[in-house]
Amino acid sequence: MSATANGAPAQQYWGDGNGLPTQQIAPGQSLAVPFQFKTPKGTKGSLQIAVAAELNEPVFFNGLLG
C-alpha cells in the first residue's frame, strides 16, 4: 500500500505496530485491514491510495483531503 497527498508521498502509519496480517484467507472469506497514512498538518487536495498484492497491478482509490 502506498499513498500520495497532493502529489507528495504520505507516510504509512501502523497505530498498533503490527503491520499487515499474514494469515491465509480461505476462498469466499474476507479480511478487513485498517490502515492509516500521515500527511503534514493542513495538507489539502487530492489523495490517492494504491494497493497491490505482490506482482499484481495496483488498484487505486482517489479522494480529497481538506
Side-chain angles (χ1 to χ4, degrees), residues 7-18:
Q11 178 185 358
Q12 195 166 17
Y13 171 75
W14 297 103
D16 62 6
N18 291 326

Side-chain angles (χ1 to χ4, degrees), residues 32-59:
V33 180
F35 57 91
Q36 300 174 8
F37 291 92
K38 288 183 183 182
T39 61
K41 188 173 184 175
T43 300
K44 294 182 181 183
S46 64
L47 171 69
Q48 184 177 72
I49 298 174
V51 180
E54 298 180 17
L55 300 177
N56 294 325
E57 292 293 320
V59 175

